[in-house]
Amino acid sequence: MSSSLKLKKRDYGAEPDKTKLVIAGIRHQLLLLFRRRHRLFPLVSAVSGCLLLFLFSFSILSPPPLIHLEPNPHPNAPFRVPENGGRSDRKLWSSRLSNFYSACSNATDSFQVTDKKTQTNRYLLIATSGGLNQQRTGIIDAVVAAYILNATLVVPKLDQKSYWKDTSNFEEIFDIDWFISHLSKDVKIIKELPKEEQSRISSSLQSIRVPRKCTPSCYLQRVLPILNKKHVVQLSKFDYRLSNALDTELQKLRCRVNYHAVRYTESINRMGQLLVDRMRNKAKHFVALHLRFEPDMLAFSGCYYGGGQKERLELGAMRRRWKTLHTANPEKERRHGRCPLTPEEIGLMLRGLGFGKEVHLYVASGKVYGGEDTLAPLRALFPNIHTKETLTSKKELAPFANFSSRMAALDFIVCDESDAFVTNNNGNMARILAGRRRYLGHKVTIRPNAKKLYQVFTNRNNMTWDDFSSKVRRYQKGFMGEPDEMKPGEGEFHENPASCICRTSEARRVKEKAKHDLNEDEQDSSEYSDIGNVPIASASRSDLEIW
Protein backbone atom coordinates (compact mmCIF):
# COMPACT_ATOMS: atom_id res chain seq x y z
CA MET A 1 0.00 0.00 0.00
CA SER A 2 1.42 3.43 -0.96
CA SER A 3 2.53 5.99 1.68
CA SER A 4 -0.11 8.48 0.49
CA LEU A 5 -2.84 5.92 0.99
CA LYS A 6 -1.58 5.18 4.52
CA LEU A 7 -1.48 8.86 5.29
CA LYS A 8 -5.08 9.33 4.29
CA LYS A 9 -6.13 6.45 6.46
CA ARG A 10 -4.29 7.92 9.50
CA ASP A 11 -5.73 11.42 8.94
CA TYR A 12 -9.23 10.03 8.64
CA GLY A 13 -8.72 7.80 11.64
CA ALA A 14 -7.85 10.85 13.81
CA GLU A 15 -11.21 12.52 13.24
CA PRO A 16 -13.28 10.32 15.60
CA ASP A 17 -10.97 11.23 18.58
CA LYS A 18 -11.58 14.98 18.10
CA THR A 19 -15.31 14.38 17.84
CA LYS A 20 -15.31 12.44 21.10
CA LEU A 21 -13.66 15.35 22.88
CA VAL A 22 -16.31 17.79 21.62
CA ILE A 23 -19.14 15.48 22.66
CA ALA A 24 -17.61 14.94 26.10
CA GLY A 25 -17.34 18.73 26.65
CA ILE A 26 -20.96 19.34 25.70
CA ARG A 27 -22.14 16.50 27.91
CA HIS A 28 -20.21 17.96 30.90
CA GLN A 29 -21.84 21.39 30.48
CA LEU A 30 -25.30 19.85 30.24
CA LEU A 31 -24.77 17.94 33.47
CA LEU A 32 -23.83 21.13 35.30
CA LEU A 33 -26.92 22.89 34.01
CA PHE A 34 -29.16 19.97 34.94
CA ARG A 35 -27.89 19.93 38.52
CA ARG A 36 -28.68 23.63 39.03
CA ARG A 37 -32.41 23.57 38.35
CA HIS A 38 -35.04 21.38 36.81
CA ARG A 39 -36.43 24.49 35.15
CA LEU A 40 -33.57 24.27 32.72
CA PHE A 41 -34.97 21.01 31.25
CA PRO A 42 -36.41 22.69 28.10
CA LEU A 43 -33.00 24.20 27.46
CA VAL A 44 -31.36 20.81 27.81
CA SER A 45 -33.79 19.32 25.32
CA ALA A 46 -33.06 22.05 22.81
CA VAL A 47 -29.30 21.67 23.14
CA SER A 48 -29.57 17.87 22.85
CA GLY A 49 -31.57 18.24 19.64
CA CYS A 50 -28.94 20.51 18.18
CA LEU A 51 -26.24 18.02 19.15
CA LEU A 52 -28.03 15.13 17.43
CA LEU A 53 -28.51 17.20 14.29
CA PHE A 54 -24.82 18.08 14.30
CA LEU A 55 -23.74 14.47 14.64
CA PHE A 56 -26.12 13.33 11.88
CA SER A 57 -24.77 16.01 9.52
CA PHE A 58 -21.22 15.00 10.36
CA SER A 59 -21.91 11.36 9.51
CA ILE A 60 -23.48 12.28 6.14
CA LEU A 61 -20.81 14.72 5.01
CA SER A 62 -17.79 12.75 6.15
CA PRO A 63 -16.03 10.61 3.49
CA PRO A 64 -16.47 6.85 3.52
CA PRO A 65 -13.67 4.75 4.96
CA LEU A 66 -10.96 3.83 2.50
CA ILE A 67 -11.14 0.11 1.75
CA HIS A 68 -8.33 -1.74 0.03
CA LEU A 69 -9.71 -4.88 -1.63
CA GLU A 70 -7.11 -7.55 -2.21
CA PRO A 71 -7.74 -9.45 -5.49
CA ASN A 72 -6.81 -12.62 -3.65
CA PRO A 73 -7.11 -13.50 0.06
CA HIS A 74 -3.76 -15.24 -0.32
CA PRO A 75 -1.29 -12.54 -1.45
CA ASN A 76 1.46 -15.12 -1.87
CA ALA A 77 -0.57 -16.92 -4.55
CA PRO A 78 -2.31 -14.22 -6.62
CA PHE A 79 -4.78 -15.24 -9.34
CA ARG A 80 -3.47 -13.31 -12.31
CA VAL A 81 -4.65 -14.25 -15.78
CA PRO A 82 -1.78 -14.23 -18.30
CA GLU A 83 -2.17 -12.78 -21.78
CA ASN A 84 -0.35 -15.68 -23.39
CA GLY A 85 -2.03 -19.07 -23.54
CA GLY A 86 1.21 -21.03 -23.65
CA ARG A 87 0.09 -24.05 -25.69
CA SER A 88 1.30 -25.30 -29.10
CA ASP A 89 -0.69 -24.98 -32.31
CA ARG A 90 -1.05 -28.74 -32.64
CA LYS A 91 -2.75 -29.05 -29.28
CA LEU A 92 -5.09 -26.15 -29.88
CA TRP A 93 -6.21 -26.56 -33.45
CA SER A 94 -6.23 -30.24 -34.39
CA SER A 95 -6.49 -33.83 -33.24
CA ARG A 96 -3.63 -36.26 -33.73
CA LEU A 97 -5.97 -39.06 -34.72
CA SER A 98 -8.53 -37.31 -36.91
CA ASN A 99 -6.98 -38.58 -40.15
CA PHE A 100 -7.65 -42.16 -39.10
CA TYR A 101 -11.43 -41.76 -39.01
CA SER A 102 -13.87 -41.34 -41.86
CA ALA A 103 -17.58 -40.95 -42.50
CA CYS A 104 -19.36 -44.13 -43.56
CA SER A 105 -23.10 -43.56 -43.91
CA ASN A 106 -23.82 -45.28 -47.22
CA ALA A 107 -26.64 -47.81 -47.20
CA THR A 108 -25.81 -51.50 -47.43
CA ASP A 109 -27.32 -53.90 -49.94
CA SER A 110 -29.92 -54.99 -47.38
CA PHE A 111 -31.45 -51.51 -47.19
CA GLN A 112 -34.72 -51.39 -49.12
CA VAL A 113 -34.89 -48.63 -51.69
CA THR A 114 -37.86 -46.35 -52.35
CA ASP A 115 -39.30 -48.13 -55.39
CA LYS A 116 -39.70 -51.39 -53.48
CA LYS A 117 -40.95 -49.91 -50.24
CA THR A 118 -43.10 -46.76 -50.56
CA GLN A 119 -46.90 -47.18 -50.65
CA THR A 120 -48.55 -44.87 -53.19
CA ASN A 121 -51.53 -43.95 -51.01
CA ARG A 122 -49.74 -42.92 -47.81
CA TYR A 123 -48.72 -39.29 -47.21
CA LEU A 124 -46.95 -38.02 -44.11
CA LEU A 125 -47.13 -34.33 -43.17
CA ILE A 126 -44.75 -32.93 -40.58
CA ALA A 127 -45.06 -29.73 -38.51
CA THR A 128 -41.67 -28.99 -36.92
CA SER A 129 -41.18 -27.15 -33.65
CA GLY A 130 -38.74 -24.70 -32.07
CA GLY A 131 -35.77 -22.79 -33.43
CA LEU A 132 -33.72 -23.59 -36.52
CA ASN A 133 -31.63 -26.46 -35.13
CA GLN A 134 -34.49 -27.98 -33.18
CA GLN A 135 -36.46 -27.97 -36.44
CA ARG A 136 -33.49 -29.55 -38.18
CA THR A 137 -33.74 -32.57 -35.88
CA GLY A 138 -37.42 -32.81 -36.82
CA ILE A 139 -36.62 -32.73 -40.54
CA ILE A 140 -34.01 -35.47 -40.14
CA ASP A 141 -36.30 -37.73 -38.15
CA ALA A 142 -39.25 -37.02 -40.45
CA VAL A 143 -37.42 -38.77 -43.29
CA VAL A 144 -36.74 -41.79 -41.08
CA ALA A 145 -40.38 -41.86 -39.87
CA ALA A 146 -41.60 -41.81 -43.49
CA TYR A 147 -39.29 -44.72 -44.29
CA ILE A 148 -40.59 -46.71 -41.31
CA LEU A 149 -44.20 -46.08 -42.39
CA ASN A 150 -43.57 -46.75 -46.11
CA ALA A 151 -45.06 -43.31 -46.75
CA THR A 152 -44.42 -40.41 -49.10
CA LEU A 153 -43.08 -37.45 -47.15
CA VAL A 154 -44.38 -33.98 -47.89
CA VAL A 155 -41.63 -31.38 -47.33
CA PRO A 156 -41.91 -30.46 -43.61
CA LYS A 157 -43.45 -27.17 -42.50
CA LEU A 158 -41.27 -24.92 -40.41
CA ASP A 159 -42.43 -23.47 -37.11
CA GLN A 160 -43.41 -19.84 -37.61
CA LYS A 161 -45.05 -19.30 -34.21
CA SER A 162 -42.26 -20.13 -31.79
CA TYR A 163 -40.32 -17.66 -29.65
CA TRP A 164 -38.30 -16.52 -32.68
CA LYS A 165 -41.36 -15.91 -34.91
CA ASP A 166 -39.52 -16.41 -38.19
CA THR A 167 -41.87 -16.47 -41.19
CA SER A 168 -39.45 -18.35 -43.47
CA ASN A 169 -40.59 -21.43 -45.36
CA PHE A 170 -38.49 -24.56 -45.93
CA GLU A 171 -37.33 -23.45 -49.38
CA GLU A 172 -36.21 -20.05 -48.07
CA ILE A 173 -33.69 -21.66 -45.72
CA PHE A 174 -32.88 -25.08 -47.21
CA ASP A 175 -32.16 -26.18 -50.77
CA ILE A 176 -35.46 -27.97 -51.35
CA ASP A 177 -34.62 -29.49 -54.76
CA TRP A 178 -31.36 -30.93 -53.44
CA PHE A 179 -33.16 -32.31 -50.39
CA ILE A 180 -35.68 -34.18 -52.54
CA SER A 181 -33.27 -35.46 -55.20
CA HIS A 182 -30.49 -36.52 -52.84
CA LEU A 183 -32.85 -38.74 -50.83
CA SER A 184 -34.79 -40.08 -53.82
CA LYS A 185 -33.42 -43.60 -53.35
CA ASP A 186 -34.25 -43.61 -49.63
CA VAL A 187 -37.67 -41.95 -49.30
CA LYS A 188 -40.08 -40.42 -51.78
CA ILE A 189 -40.43 -36.71 -50.98
CA ILE A 190 -42.81 -34.21 -52.64
CA LYS A 191 -43.18 -30.45 -52.20
CA GLU A 192 -46.93 -30.54 -51.52
CA LEU A 193 -49.88 -32.93 -51.41
CA PRO A 194 -51.56 -33.86 -54.70
CA LYS A 195 -54.60 -31.62 -55.34
CA GLU A 196 -57.06 -34.46 -55.03
CA GLU A 197 -55.72 -35.29 -51.57
CA GLN A 198 -55.80 -31.63 -50.55
CA SER A 199 -59.48 -31.29 -51.43
CA ARG A 200 -60.35 -34.55 -49.70
CA ILE A 201 -58.72 -33.63 -46.36
CA SER A 202 -59.47 -29.90 -46.34
CA SER A 203 -61.86 -30.29 -43.41
CA SER A 204 -60.74 -33.55 -41.85
CA LEU A 205 -56.94 -33.63 -41.61
CA GLN A 206 -55.91 -36.09 -38.90
CA SER A 207 -53.21 -34.47 -36.73
CA ILE A 208 -51.56 -36.42 -33.93
CA ARG A 209 -48.52 -36.07 -31.69
CA VAL A 210 -46.42 -39.15 -31.06
CA PRO A 211 -44.55 -39.54 -27.76
CA ARG A 212 -41.00 -38.30 -27.50
CA LYS A 213 -38.42 -40.97 -28.37
CA CYS A 214 -41.03 -43.04 -30.20
CA THR A 215 -39.53 -46.32 -31.49
CA PRO A 216 -40.21 -47.83 -34.93
CA SER A 217 -42.75 -50.23 -33.37
CA CYS A 218 -44.37 -47.22 -31.68
CA TYR A 219 -44.88 -45.60 -35.12
CA LEU A 220 -46.27 -48.80 -36.55
CA GLN A 221 -48.74 -49.15 -33.68
CA ARG A 222 -49.82 -45.54 -33.28
CA VAL A 223 -49.54 -43.96 -36.72
CA LEU A 224 -49.79 -46.71 -39.34
CA PRO A 225 -53.44 -47.73 -38.61
CA ILE A 226 -54.58 -44.10 -38.99
CA LEU A 227 -52.44 -43.69 -42.09
CA ASN A 228 -54.00 -46.78 -43.70
CA LYS A 229 -57.49 -45.45 -42.93
CA LYS A 230 -57.06 -41.74 -43.69
CA HIS A 231 -54.19 -41.96 -46.21
CA VAL A 232 -52.86 -38.62 -44.92
CA VAL A 233 -51.58 -37.93 -41.37
CA GLN A 234 -49.91 -34.90 -39.91
CA LEU A 235 -47.45 -35.27 -37.02
CA SER A 236 -47.34 -32.05 -34.98
CA LYS A 237 -44.75 -30.62 -32.58
CA PHE A 238 -42.27 -32.85 -34.34
CA ASP A 239 -38.98 -32.53 -32.47
CA TYR A 240 -37.14 -35.45 -30.89
CA ARG A 241 -40.12 -37.68 -31.64
CA LEU A 242 -37.95 -40.57 -32.78
CA SER A 243 -35.98 -42.94 -30.59
CA ASN A 244 -32.29 -42.25 -30.08
CA ALA A 245 -31.52 -45.97 -30.44
CA LEU A 246 -32.27 -47.37 -33.90
CA ASP A 247 -30.74 -50.14 -35.95
CA THR A 248 -27.60 -49.29 -37.91
CA GLU A 249 -29.33 -48.86 -41.27
CA LEU A 250 -31.80 -46.31 -39.91
CA GLN A 251 -29.00 -44.47 -38.11
CA LYS A 252 -27.06 -44.26 -41.36
CA LEU A 253 -30.19 -42.87 -43.03
CA ARG A 254 -30.26 -40.18 -40.34
CA CYS A 255 -26.67 -39.31 -41.23
CA ARG A 256 -27.38 -39.15 -44.96
CA VAL A 257 -30.18 -36.70 -44.26
CA ASN A 258 -28.30 -34.58 -41.72
CA TYR A 259 -24.85 -34.35 -43.27
CA HIS A 260 -25.66 -34.57 -46.97
CA ALA A 261 -29.28 -33.84 -47.85
CA VAL A 262 -30.03 -30.90 -45.54
CA ARG A 263 -28.05 -27.94 -46.82
CA TYR A 264 -28.77 -24.24 -46.92
CA THR A 265 -29.86 -22.19 -49.91
CA GLU A 266 -27.25 -20.75 -52.23
CA SER A 267 -27.70 -17.21 -50.87
CA ILE A 268 -27.22 -18.34 -47.24
CA ASN A 269 -24.22 -20.49 -48.14
CA ARG A 270 -22.64 -17.64 -50.11
CA MET A 271 -22.98 -15.17 -47.23
CA GLY A 272 -21.80 -17.78 -44.73
CA GLN A 273 -18.69 -18.44 -46.78
CA LEU A 274 -18.05 -14.70 -47.04
CA LEU A 275 -18.03 -14.52 -43.23
CA VAL A 276 -15.61 -17.47 -43.05
CA ASP A 277 -13.30 -15.87 -45.63
CA ARG A 278 -13.22 -12.60 -43.70
CA MET A 279 -12.31 -14.47 -40.52
CA ARG A 280 -9.55 -16.31 -42.40
CA ASN A 281 -8.20 -12.98 -43.63
CA LYS A 282 -7.76 -11.90 -40.02
CA ALA A 283 -6.01 -15.01 -38.73
CA LYS A 284 -4.74 -18.39 -39.87
CA HIS A 285 -6.89 -20.08 -37.20
CA PHE A 286 -9.98 -18.83 -35.42
CA VAL A 287 -12.31 -19.94 -32.65
CA ALA A 288 -16.09 -19.85 -33.01
CA LEU A 289 -18.07 -19.48 -29.81
CA HIS A 290 -21.76 -20.32 -29.72
CA LEU A 291 -22.74 -18.09 -26.83
CA ARG A 292 -26.26 -18.97 -25.70
CA PHE A 293 -26.69 -16.22 -23.13
CA GLU A 294 -29.93 -14.74 -24.38
CA PRO A 295 -32.78 -13.97 -21.93
CA ASP A 296 -34.90 -16.94 -23.07
CA MET A 297 -32.01 -19.37 -22.52
CA LEU A 298 -31.29 -18.08 -19.02
CA ALA A 299 -34.99 -18.09 -18.13
CA PHE A 300 -35.41 -21.68 -19.33
CA SER A 301 -32.32 -22.82 -17.42
CA GLY A 302 -33.67 -21.50 -14.11
CA CYS A 303 -30.19 -20.24 -13.23
CA TYR A 304 -29.23 -17.00 -11.47
CA TYR A 305 -26.30 -14.76 -12.45
CA GLY A 306 -26.17 -12.11 -9.74
CA GLY A 307 -28.38 -9.45 -11.33
CA GLY A 308 -30.46 -8.94 -8.20
CA GLN A 309 -34.20 -8.38 -8.09
CA LYS A 310 -34.24 -6.96 -11.63
CA GLU A 311 -32.88 -10.21 -13.06
CA ARG A 312 -35.22 -12.34 -10.96
CA LEU A 313 -38.29 -10.41 -12.11
CA GLU A 314 -37.33 -10.26 -15.79
CA LEU A 315 -36.31 -13.88 -16.18
CA GLY A 316 -39.09 -15.08 -13.85
CA ALA A 317 -41.74 -13.46 -16.05
CA MET A 318 -40.23 -15.08 -19.13
CA ARG A 319 -39.91 -18.45 -17.40
CA ARG A 320 -43.66 -18.56 -16.81
CA ARG A 321 -44.13 -19.05 -20.56
CA TRP A 322 -43.10 -22.68 -20.07
CA LYS A 323 -45.93 -23.94 -17.89
CA THR A 324 -44.40 -27.41 -17.51
CA LEU A 325 -41.14 -26.19 -15.97
CA HIS A 326 -40.63 -27.05 -12.32
CA THR A 327 -39.43 -24.47 -9.83
CA ALA A 328 -35.66 -24.35 -10.11
CA ASN A 329 -33.04 -24.08 -7.38
CA PRO A 330 -30.40 -21.88 -9.08
CA GLU A 331 -27.55 -22.91 -6.82
CA LYS A 332 -28.35 -26.61 -7.25
CA GLU A 333 -28.61 -26.21 -11.04
CA ARG A 334 -25.20 -24.59 -11.12
CA ARG A 335 -23.57 -27.21 -8.88
CA HIS A 336 -24.85 -29.93 -11.19
CA GLY A 337 -23.47 -28.21 -14.29
CA ARG A 338 -26.85 -27.32 -15.78
CA CYS A 339 -26.25 -23.58 -16.11
CA PRO A 340 -24.76 -22.00 -19.25
CA LEU A 341 -21.31 -20.62 -18.55
CA THR A 342 -21.04 -16.84 -18.45
CA PRO A 343 -18.95 -15.03 -21.10
CA GLU A 344 -16.29 -14.42 -18.45
CA GLU A 345 -16.17 -18.12 -17.49
CA ILE A 346 -15.85 -19.12 -21.15
CA GLY A 347 -12.96 -16.68 -21.51
CA LEU A 348 -11.20 -18.06 -18.45
CA MET A 349 -11.71 -21.64 -19.66
CA LEU A 350 -10.23 -20.83 -23.07
CA ARG A 351 -7.23 -19.10 -21.53
CA GLY A 352 -6.75 -22.04 -19.18
CA LEU A 353 -6.76 -24.40 -22.16
CA GLY A 354 -4.05 -22.34 -23.82
CA PHE A 355 -5.74 -19.81 -26.11
CA GLY A 356 -3.87 -16.50 -25.89
CA LYS A 357 -5.06 -12.91 -26.12
CA GLU A 358 -4.12 -12.74 -29.80
CA VAL A 359 -6.72 -15.37 -30.83
CA HIS A 360 -9.56 -14.16 -33.04
CA LEU A 361 -12.99 -15.11 -31.72
CA TYR A 362 -16.21 -15.29 -33.75
CA VAL A 363 -19.21 -15.01 -31.43
CA ALA A 364 -22.43 -16.62 -32.65
CA SER A 365 -25.17 -15.24 -30.49
CA GLY A 366 -28.47 -13.48 -30.28
CA LYS A 367 -29.02 -10.53 -27.95
CA VAL A 368 -26.85 -11.22 -24.88
CA TYR A 369 -28.57 -10.64 -21.54
CA GLY A 370 -26.93 -7.60 -19.99
CA GLY A 371 -25.45 -6.40 -23.29
CA GLU A 372 -21.91 -5.04 -23.42
CA ASP A 373 -21.53 -5.09 -19.65
CA THR A 374 -21.92 -8.89 -19.74
CA LEU A 375 -19.48 -9.23 -22.65
CA ALA A 376 -16.85 -6.88 -21.20
CA PRO A 377 -14.88 -9.57 -19.23
CA LEU A 378 -14.70 -11.80 -22.34
CA ARG A 379 -13.63 -8.85 -24.48
CA ALA A 380 -10.89 -8.01 -21.96
CA LEU A 381 -9.48 -11.53 -22.32
CA PHE A 382 -9.98 -11.73 -26.10
CA PRO A 383 -10.06 -8.27 -27.70
CA ASN A 384 -10.32 -9.69 -31.24
CA ILE A 385 -14.04 -10.46 -31.11
CA HIS A 386 -16.12 -10.56 -34.30
CA THR A 387 -19.77 -11.12 -35.16
CA LYS A 388 -21.91 -11.18 -38.28
CA GLU A 389 -22.59 -7.51 -37.75
CA THR A 390 -18.93 -6.44 -37.41
CA LEU A 391 -17.75 -8.49 -40.40
CA THR A 392 -20.36 -7.19 -42.85
CA SER A 393 -22.08 -3.97 -43.81
CA LYS A 394 -25.76 -3.37 -43.08
CA LYS A 395 -26.46 -3.62 -46.80
CA GLU A 396 -24.79 -7.05 -47.07
CA LEU A 397 -26.68 -8.39 -44.06
CA ALA A 398 -30.03 -6.81 -44.93
CA PRO A 399 -31.56 -9.88 -46.73
CA PHE A 400 -31.05 -11.95 -43.56
CA ALA A 401 -31.30 -9.45 -40.70
CA ASN A 402 -35.06 -9.70 -40.09
CA PHE A 403 -35.16 -13.52 -40.11
CA SER A 404 -33.80 -15.22 -37.00
CA SER A 405 -33.45 -18.64 -38.66
CA ARG A 406 -31.44 -17.25 -41.56
CA MET A 407 -29.19 -15.39 -39.15
CA ALA A 408 -28.78 -18.61 -37.15
CA ALA A 409 -27.89 -20.44 -40.38
CA LEU A 410 -25.05 -17.98 -41.03
CA ASP A 411 -23.70 -18.59 -37.53
CA PHE A 412 -24.00 -22.34 -38.11
CA ILE A 413 -21.82 -22.15 -41.22
CA VAL A 414 -19.07 -20.11 -39.55
CA CYS A 415 -19.06 -22.38 -36.47
CA ASP A 416 -18.91 -25.45 -38.69
CA GLU A 417 -15.93 -24.09 -40.62
CA SER A 418 -14.02 -22.85 -37.56
CA ASP A 419 -10.76 -24.44 -36.42
CA ALA A 420 -12.09 -24.76 -32.88
CA PHE A 421 -15.74 -24.64 -31.92
CA VAL A 422 -16.71 -23.75 -28.35
CA THR A 423 -20.09 -23.70 -26.68
CA ASN A 424 -21.28 -22.53 -23.26
CA ASN A 425 -24.30 -24.85 -23.27
CA ASN A 426 -25.53 -28.20 -24.52
CA GLY A 427 -28.42 -26.95 -26.65
CA ASN A 428 -29.63 -28.02 -30.07
CA MET A 429 -27.05 -26.15 -32.16
CA ALA A 430 -24.22 -27.27 -29.90
CA ARG A 431 -25.24 -30.95 -30.20
CA ILE A 432 -25.84 -30.81 -33.96
CA LEU A 433 -22.47 -29.17 -34.58
CA ALA A 434 -20.65 -31.53 -32.21
CA GLY A 435 -21.94 -34.51 -34.20
CA ARG A 436 -21.26 -32.88 -37.54
CA ARG A 437 -17.69 -32.02 -36.63
CA ARG A 438 -17.12 -35.61 -35.47
CA TYR A 439 -18.54 -36.93 -38.72
CA LEU A 440 -16.39 -34.59 -40.83
CA GLY A 441 -13.05 -35.37 -39.22
CA HIS A 442 -13.18 -34.80 -35.46
CA LYS A 443 -12.45 -31.09 -35.64
CA VAL A 444 -11.71 -29.52 -32.25
CA THR A 445 -15.03 -29.13 -30.43
CA ILE A 446 -14.90 -27.87 -26.83
CA ARG A 447 -17.89 -28.63 -24.62
CA PRO A 448 -17.47 -27.32 -21.06
CA ASN A 449 -17.43 -29.90 -18.30
CA ALA A 450 -19.66 -27.47 -16.39
CA LYS A 451 -20.12 -29.58 -13.28
CA LYS A 452 -16.37 -29.83 -12.63
CA LEU A 453 -15.54 -26.33 -13.83
CA TYR A 454 -18.08 -24.87 -11.39
CA GLN A 455 -15.76 -25.83 -8.51
CA VAL A 456 -12.77 -24.21 -10.23
CA PHE A 457 -14.54 -20.97 -11.06
CA THR A 458 -15.96 -20.70 -7.53
CA ASN A 459 -12.58 -21.17 -5.83
CA ARG A 460 -10.31 -19.47 -8.37
CA ASN A 461 -9.30 -16.67 -5.99
CA ASN A 462 -7.91 -19.30 -3.63
CA MET A 463 -5.41 -20.67 -6.14
CA THR A 464 -2.63 -19.58 -8.46
CA TRP A 465 -3.16 -19.32 -12.19
CA ASP A 466 -1.02 -22.42 -12.74
CA ASP A 467 -3.27 -24.42 -10.42
CA PHE A 468 -6.37 -23.05 -12.14
CA SER A 469 -5.21 -23.80 -15.69
CA SER A 470 -4.01 -27.27 -14.68
CA LYS A 471 -7.44 -28.11 -13.27
CA VAL A 472 -9.21 -26.73 -16.34
CA ARG A 473 -7.13 -28.90 -18.68
CA ARG A 474 -7.66 -31.96 -16.49
CA TYR A 475 -11.43 -31.49 -16.21
CA GLN A 476 -11.78 -30.81 -19.94
CA LYS A 477 -10.13 -34.08 -20.86
CA GLY A 478 -12.82 -35.99 -22.73
CA PHE A 479 -14.67 -32.81 -23.70
CA MET A 480 -12.46 -31.61 -26.57
CA GLY A 481 -13.88 -33.44 -29.59
CA GLU A 482 -11.27 -36.19 -29.78
CA PRO A 483 -12.23 -39.51 -31.39
CA ASP A 484 -14.15 -41.90 -29.18
CA GLU A 485 -14.69 -39.46 -26.32
CA MET A 486 -18.28 -40.70 -26.23
CA LYS A 487 -19.14 -44.37 -26.51
CA PRO A 488 -21.80 -45.49 -28.99
CA GLY A 489 -25.25 -44.85 -27.56
CA GLU A 490 -24.13 -42.08 -25.20
CA GLY A 491 -25.90 -38.76 -25.62
CA GLU A 492 -28.21 -37.84 -28.47
CA PHE A 493 -27.42 -39.50 -31.79
CA HIS A 494 -27.17 -36.06 -33.40
CA GLU A 495 -24.16 -35.25 -31.19
CA ASN A 496 -22.64 -38.74 -31.32
CA PRO A 497 -23.28 -40.40 -34.71
CA ALA A 498 -21.08 -43.40 -33.89
CA SER A 499 -22.86 -45.70 -36.36
CA CYS A 500 -21.70 -43.44 -39.21
CA ILE A 501 -18.02 -43.10 -38.27
CA CYS A 502 -15.41 -45.69 -39.17
CA ARG A 503 -11.76 -45.98 -38.16
CA THR A 504 -8.79 -47.48 -39.93
CA SER A 505 -6.93 -50.50 -38.62
CA GLU A 506 -3.90 -48.24 -38.11
CA ALA A 507 -5.69 -45.96 -35.64
CA ARG A 508 -4.92 -48.03 -32.53
CA ARG A 509 -1.22 -48.32 -33.32
CA VAL A 510 -0.91 -44.57 -33.92
CA LYS A 511 -2.83 -43.86 -30.73
CA GLU A 512 -0.47 -46.02 -28.66
CA LYS A 513 2.57 -44.38 -30.24
CA ALA A 514 1.16 -40.93 -29.55
CA LYS A 515 0.71 -41.80 -25.87
CA HIS A 516 4.25 -43.17 -25.68
CA ASP A 517 5.85 -40.12 -27.33
CA LEU A 518 3.90 -37.60 -25.30
CA ASN A 519 6.35 -36.45 -22.61
CA GLU A 520 5.31 -32.82 -22.29
CA ASP A 521 4.30 -31.32 -18.95
CA GLU A 522 0.63 -31.24 -19.92
CA GLN A 523 0.36 -34.85 -20.97
CA ASP A 524 -2.92 -35.44 -19.13
CA SER A 525 -4.81 -32.93 -21.26
CA SER A 526 -3.71 -34.50 -24.53
CA GLU A 527 -4.17 -38.15 -23.70
CA TYR A 528 -6.77 -39.95 -25.74
CA SER A 529 -9.44 -42.29 -24.45
CA ASP A 530 -9.34 -45.93 -25.43
CA ILE A 531 -10.44 -46.78 -28.96
CA GLY A 532 -12.28 -49.84 -30.09
CA ASN A 533 -15.97 -49.09 -30.12
CA VAL A 534 -16.36 -48.01 -33.73
CA PRO A 535 -16.19 -50.27 -36.81
CA ILE A 536 -12.97 -50.63 -38.76
CA ALA A 537 -13.22 -49.43 -42.35
CA SER A 538 -11.29 -47.80 -45.15
CA ALA A 539 -10.01 -44.29 -44.53
CA SER A 540 -11.11 -43.11 -47.96
CA ARG A 541 -13.27 -39.99 -47.94
CA SER A 542 -13.80 -39.66 -51.68
CA ASP A 543 -17.56 -40.12 -51.37
CA LEU A 544 -17.88 -37.52 -48.57
CA GLU A 545 -19.87 -34.51 -49.72
CA ILE A 546 -19.17 -31.38 -47.69
CA TRP A 547 -21.72 -28.67 -48.31
Side-chain angles (χ1 to χ4, degrees), residues 145-160:
Y147 182 86
I148 292 169
L149 295 167
N150 298 339
T152 296
L153 176 67
V154 179
V155 170
K157 293 181 180 179
L158 300 189
D159 186 352
Q160 299 177 343

Side-chain angles (χ1 to χ4, degrees), residues 353-416:
L353 290 172
F355 292 91
K357 189 176 183 179
E358 75 287 350
V359 168
H360 284 256
L361 202 64
Y362 178 90
V363 178
S365 173
K367 185 178 180 181
V368 173
Y369 186 71
E372 279 301 316
D373 289 342
T374 303
L375 286 172
L378 176 64
R379 198 179 294 277
L381 289 166
F382 295 94
N384 301 312
I385 287 181
H386 312 278
T387 64
K388 299 181 294 295
E389 291 77 11
T390 63
L391 291 171
T392 59
S393 66
K394 287 187 177 180
K395 183 178 179 181
E396 288 174 317
L397 208 55
F400 314 92
N402 294 324
F403 302 93
S404 59
S405 289
R406 299 180 206 185
M407 294 286 272
L410 296 179
D411 281 338
F412 187 98
I413 293 171
V414 182
C415 290
D416 187 34

Side-chain angles (χ1 to χ4, degrees), residues 510-528:
V510 174
K511 178 248 184 178
E512 293 299 331
K513 184 176 185 302
K515 288 176 64 177
H516 180 268
D517 294 343
L518 200 59
N519 296 317
E520 296 153 279
D521 59 347
E522 298 179 59
Q523 178 172 349
D524 62 335
S525 63
S526 302
E527 188 177 358
Y528 303 103

Side-chain angles (χ1 to χ4, degrees), residues 38 64 139 150 186 199 204 218 248 283 327 409 430 475:
H38 291 290
I139 293 167
N150 298 339
D186 296 317
S199 59
S204 61
C218 167
T248 301
T327 301
Y475 292 154

Side-chain angles (χ1 to χ4, degrees), residues 413-453:
I413 293 171
V414 182
C415 290
D416 187 34
E417 293 288 335
S418 65
D419 301 284
F421 171 63
V422 188
T423 178
N424 73 326
N425 69 95
N426 195 34
N428 293 298
M429 180 168 166
R431 288 197 294 264
I432 290 266
L433 275 167
R436 182 177 180 83
R437 290 170 71 87
R438 283 189 174 96
Y439 183 82
L440 297 178
H442 288 91
K443 293 186 286 186
V444 175
T445 304
I446 303 172
R447 300 172 298 122
N449 184 354
K451 187 174 182 179
K452 290 285 189 180
L453 290 179

